[in-house]
Amino acid sequence: MLDKTVPYVEFWMVRETVQPVPKVALPSGFRATFYQPGDEVAWGKIETAVGEFEAETAAAAYFAKTFAPYPAELASRMLFIENAAGDKVGTCTAWWSKENQPLVHWLAVIPTEQGQGLAKYLISTITNLLLELGEGQPVILHTQTWSHPAVRLYQKLGYEIAPIGEFKQARQVLEQLRKR
C-alpha cells in the first residue's frame, strides 16, 4: 500500500550485476504463475488495490497500452502469486525501459496479503529473471517515496538509488522515514 502521508518524490534505483540475488522461497499456501490471457483483469485489481490507480478502468487502459501489445513477452515476464483459493494477490514484471535496459516493473501485493514475504519472492525472482535476460546489464526500477517499505526491500537485495533525477530529495525523505 502506498504511504501518501510522506512527500512524493519519484526516483530510479539500479542494481549492478556483480552480486547474485538470493533465491527466496515462496511462502507455503501460495503458488507462482506467469501471465495467461485474461490475467490483465487480475493485474488491474492488484494495482488498484495498492493505490497505483484510482480505478480498475485506468489500470486496464495502462495495461492495454503498455503490456497488451507484447503477448508473447507477457507469458514469460509477468509473474503472479496466487493464494490457496486461486486468487491472484501479487504481481511483478520483468520488462525493459525505453532504452532497452532491464526493468523491474509494477511490483504489488494486495494489502490483505502483505507482510508474508510475497514481495520479497517477487522482486528476487524477477531480478534473477532480468539478470538472465539482460546480458550483463544493470537492472533498474522506478519507484517513489510513497513506496518506502518496498524501497527498503530493494536496498536489501542490492538496489541503490541512482544518482539521477530527484535522487537527493528522495534520499532525504527516505532518511527521515528511517528515523521514525
Side-chain angles (χ1 to χ4, degrees), residues 30-159:
F30 295 94
R31 78 178 194 113
T33 64
F34 279 96
Y35 173 87
Q36 297 174 24
D39 284 344
E40 58 273 12
V41 174
W43 185 90
K45 285 181 180 182
I46 294 166
E47 295 296 344
T48 302
V50 299
E52 289 289 356
F53 295 96
E54 293 292 322
E56 289 179 30
T57 54
Y62 181 90
F63 190 99
K65 178 181 142 194
T66 305
F67 295 123
Y70 307 97
E73 296 292 336
L74 286 172
S76 62
R77 291 175 173 264
M78 182 173 280
L79 185 63
F80 288 93
I81 294 178
E82 293 181 354
N83 63 15
D87 298 321
K88 289 184 171 46
V89 298
T91 185
C92 191
T93 305
W95 215 237
W96 56 88
S97 70
K98 291 176 184 170
E99 296 79 25
N100 274 338
Q101 192 162 2
L103 173 69
V104 173
H105 213 29
W106 294 95
L107 170 68
V109 175
I110 64 169
T112 57
E113 300 287 357
Q114 291 177 2
Q116 300 184 68
L118 302 179
K120 188 174 185 178
Y121 172 83
L122 285 165
I123 190 68
S124 171
T125 302
I126 290 298
T127 299
N128 277 315
L129 179 57
L130 284 167
L131 291 172
E132 290 171 21
L133 299 171
E135 300 175 1
Q137 292 185 69
V139 176
I140 62 172
L141 62 86
H142 181 262
T143 191
Q144 66 276 334
T145 49
W146 286 356
S147 296
H148 58 89
V151 171
R152 285 192 290 278
L153 174 60
Y154 302 148
Q155 289 173 321
K156 287 178 184 175
L157 292 175
Y159 286 87

Side-chain angles (χ1 to χ4, degrees), residues 23-27 117 121:
K23 298 220 180 208
V24 174
L26 189 59
Y121 172 83

